[in-house]
């Protein structure tokens, strides 16, 4: 699903203030100017972390999630860290939208980053998604468990090891799903 396929709500009289702000920020986040895009993603994160009711409908209508998912492909370290931070403030229902827009392979791909902070932030987003049984088949992208286990060594920062442990624990709590992943990954 491309971010271009999301219709932006255009009736200003029926929009909330948050929705109007989100629409403006989404427009800026689609900019080719990196500074404008980074500023917009920061503002989206700040807005979503301060809004009490987490307006899932407004987030869906304004196209916030596909824009954030597209930013996961950025080569800008600052933008990557900001979008990962923003994705962490999403509610459970909003995290499901992240899955539907194809973020899982992109998040797993970020495990290849040489920056442990990028790896840790991507893992935090994935860990939030792991809480849902329905997402389990989606999160079982090729090599996910293998990549998690790659971090289990004496060179990995403690904070990243904690995240790996927490994610594996969440995966194991859904025993039947974890068993199917282990069989697929050939892990005993």
């Amino acid at each position: 699903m491309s971010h271009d396929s999301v219709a932006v709500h255009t009736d200003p009289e029926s929009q909330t203030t948050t929705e109007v702000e989100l629409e403006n920020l989404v427009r800026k986040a689609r900019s080719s100017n990196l500074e404008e895009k980074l500023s917009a993603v920061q503002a989206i994160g700040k807005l979503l972390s301060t809004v009490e009711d987490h307006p899932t409908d407004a987030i869906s209508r304004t196209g916030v999630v596909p824009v954030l998912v597209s930013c996961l492909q950025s080569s800008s370290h600052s933008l990557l860290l900001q979008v990962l931070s923003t994705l962490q403030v999403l509610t459970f229902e909003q995290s499901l939208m992240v899955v539907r827009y194809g973020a899982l392979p992109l998040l797993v791909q970020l495990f290849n980053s040489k920056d442990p902070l990028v790896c840790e932030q991507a893992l935090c987003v994935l860990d939030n998604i792991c809480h849902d049984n329905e997402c389990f088949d989606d999160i079982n992208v090729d090599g996910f468990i293998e990549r998690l286990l790659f971090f289990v060594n004496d060179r990995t920062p403690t904070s990243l090891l904690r995240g790996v442990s927490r994610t594996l624990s969440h995966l194991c709590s859904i025993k039947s799903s974890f068993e199917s992943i282990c069989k697929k990954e050939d892990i005993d």
Side-chain angles (χ1 to χ4, degrees):
M1 192 178 298
S2 80
H3 70 276
D4 295 329
S5 66
V6 176
V8 175
H9 197 283
T10 57
D11 182 8
E13 291 180 17
S14 66
Q15 290 179 299
T16 65
T17 304
T18 301
E19 194 168 351
V20 171
E21 286 180 72
L22 285 172
E23 277 188 1
N24 290 329
L25 291 172
V26 165
R27 238 183 322 280
K28 290 177 183 177
R30 287 185 175 140
S31 169
S32 59
N33 178 303
L34 180 60
E35 292 303 315
E36 186 173 9
K37 185 178 285 204
L38 178 59
S39 175
V41 171
Q42 286 172 334
I44 289 169
K46 184 176 179 181
L47 181 65
L48 294 179
S49 65
T50 58
V51 173
E52 290 180 26
D53 64 353
H54 269 277
T56 300
D57 290 341
I59 288 170
S60 179
R61 282 192 300 269
T62 58
V64 169
V65 172
V67 166
L68 294 176
V69 170
S70 73
C71 289
L72 290 172
Q73 298 176 55
S74 175
S75 59
S76 165
H77 184 261
S78 299
L79 183 57
L80 273 178
L81 288 175
Q82 185 58 54
V83 75
L84 289 167
S85 175
T86 300
L87 288 172
Q88 289 178 51
V89 304
L90 297 179
T91 65
F92 171 74
E93 189 175 56
Q94 294 159 355
S95 292
L96 294 180
M97 292 189 326
V98 171
V99 172
R100 285 193 297 271
Y101 279 99
L104 294 178
L106 299 172
L107 290 164
V108 172
Q109 192 173 33
L110 290 176
F111 287 170
N112 294 327
S113 174
K114 296 192 185 307
D115 181 354
L117 187 56
V118 169
C119 296
E120 186 176 342
Q121 296 297 311
L123 183 59
C124 285
V125 174
L126 284 166
D127 184 53
N128 289 341
I129 294 168
C130 282
H131 289 309
D132 176 38
N133 288 340
E134 294 172 26
C135 285
F136 220 88
D137 290 336
D138 293 323
I139 204 159
N140 188 19
V141 283
D142 290 335
F144 176 64
I145 299 291
E146 183 179 87
R147 289 178 191 223
L148 277 178
L149 294 175
F150 173 78
F151 291 116
V152 181
N153 63 63
D154 58 355
R155 295 178 312 279
T156 302
T158 305
S159 59
L160 184 53
L161 282 173
R162 280 189 201 113
V164 168
S165 173
R166 186 177 51 249
T167 302
L168 287 171
S169 173
H170 289 141
L171 293 171
C172 289
S173 70
I174 309 167
K175 188 175 188 243
S176 63
S177 296
F178 187 72
E179 287 172 354
S180 70
I181 287 176
C182 288
K183 286 177 187 170
K184 207 172 205 179
E185 298 281 343
D186 293 322
I187 297 172
D188 294 305

